[in-house]
Amino acid sequence: MNDILTGQNIFSPLSVIVRLFFAIVSGMLVGIERELRYQPAGLRTHMVLSLGSCLIMILSLYIPMGFIEMNANIDPARLAAQVISGIGFLGAGAIFRYGFNVKGLTTAASIWTTSGIGLTFGAGFYFLGIISTISLIVILQLFDKIEDWFIEHRHLRNITVTYYSDLGFEVIIDTVRNYDLELKRVSITDNVENNTSEIVINCRVKEGFFVSELFESIKSLGKIKSLRID
């Protein structure tokens, strides 16, 4: 069976490289879109997952062809399939919430993809394993720098201010906007008995943003009863 793009056998080195390349590029394009929308699973996570999925799909095609002469009742891919699902649970342990942000998604994806690389070498398909390993390292190292150079990182913050009602919530919102933050959601609660109000501002801040400066600016408004920035 020949590859539709290369015209060569689907198991030829060129066909393998082309398929891995297109998988990585597709993951990159989706990842860029997610990065621009400041989503937790971004560029490298999507690229690693797309690479891993393509690798395992190729491996699933390789195994029957490589062991076709063996007894028909033998299924060498049966145990390997359990590894793929089992490693998924292990990778989930690498994901954790840091404040309002999610960390460890790329690590979890690389754990899962690395398990596929291990299966590939275990099945004796060295070329596929080597190419996939090199691709994974390039994605994790090179594209980490590309993310830092070209993609602006923003993190979620919650600003909770309890203030005396005669201050007015507009002043607090204007103070926050002076720091060029991206406001996502604003909610206000009035406590009529105590003549106080609480405003909760959910926003995205740039990486390296000094929360202490915003904290002091809000405090300086006066008539602030309590202030918390998560």
Side-chain angles (χ1 to χ4, degrees):
M1 182 177 177
N2 293 336
D3 187 274
I4 191 172
L5 286 180
T6 64
Q8 299 186 16
N9 188 279
I10 60 172
F11 301 112
S12 69
L14 179 59
S15 295
V16 169
I17 292 174
V18 168
R19 278 179 279 173
L20 290 174
F21 172 78
F22 274 98
I24 292 171
V25 170
S26 65
M28 180 182 69
L29 294 176
V30 176
I32 290 174
E33 192 277 337
R34 292 289 82 193
E35 286 280 4
L36 294 176
R37 293 181 178 274
Y38 309 113
Q39 297 301 310
L43 180 63
R44 290 188 302 158
T45 303
H46 283 82
M47 292 177 70
V48 170
L49 284 174
S50 188
L51 167 67
S53 300
C54 182
L55 164 65
I56 293 169
M57 186 67 232
I58 295 174
L59 179 63
S60 69
L61 296 174
Y62 268 22
I63 290 178
M65 295 299 297
F67 298 91
I68 196 170
E69 296 179 358
M70 297 179 64
N71 190 305
N73 293 324
I74 295 177
D75 182 11
R78 183 171 58 187
L79 288 177
Q82 305 307 312
V83 173
I84 298 303
S85 58
I87 292 296
F89 288 99
L90 178 63
I95 302 173
F96 63 96
R97 180 174 290 276
Y98 181 77
F100 291 91
N101 303 292
V102 178
K103 302 288 186 180
L105 288 171
T106 301
T107 300
S110 63
I111 290 173
W112 185 76
T113 301
T114 302
S115 70
I117 293 174
L119 292 174
T120 304
F121 281 119
F125 302 116
Y126 301 107
F127 177 78
L128 177 60
I130 291 171
I131 292 296
S132 299
T133 302
I134 293 173
S135 300
L136 179 58
I137 293 173
V138 169
I139 291 171
L140 294 176
Q141 291 292 322
L142 177 61
F143 283 88
D144 182 36
K145 296 180 175 59
I146 291 176
E147 280 184 329
D148 292 335
W149 289 338
F150 298 105
I151 299 176
E152 179 185 64
H153 294 280
R154 286 178 176 257
H155 302 290
L156 280 172
R157 291 282 190 178
N158 254 18
I159 304 169
T160 306
V161 184
T162 303
Y163 59 97
Y164 292 100
S165 299
D166 55 343
L167 174 63
F169 67 88
E170 298 91 347
V171 179
I172 298 174
I173 293 177
D174 289 340
T175 302
V176 173
R177 282 178 173 162
N178 286 338
Y179 285 86
D180 191 29
L181 306 183
E182 180 189 353
L183 273 62
K184 302 295 291 183
R185 185 174 63 251
V186 176
S187 61
I188 302 172
T189 304
D190 284 328
N191 189 324
V192 179
E193 292 183 359
N194 296 330
N195 194 34
T196 60
S197 300
E198 181 183 81
I199 182 171
V200 179
I201 303 174
N202 182 254
C203 59
R204 290 191 180 274
V205 302
K206 295 180 181 179
E207 192 170 21
F209 174 76
F210 292 103
V211 176
S212 58
E213 293 183 7
L214 175 61
F215 195 92
E216 293 300 324
S217 295
I218 296 176
K219 281 177 59 178
S220 66
L221 294 174
K223 300 183 179 181
I224 302 297
K225 189 174 182 180
S226 67
L227 170 61
R228 185 176 75 250
I229 301 179
D230 302 314

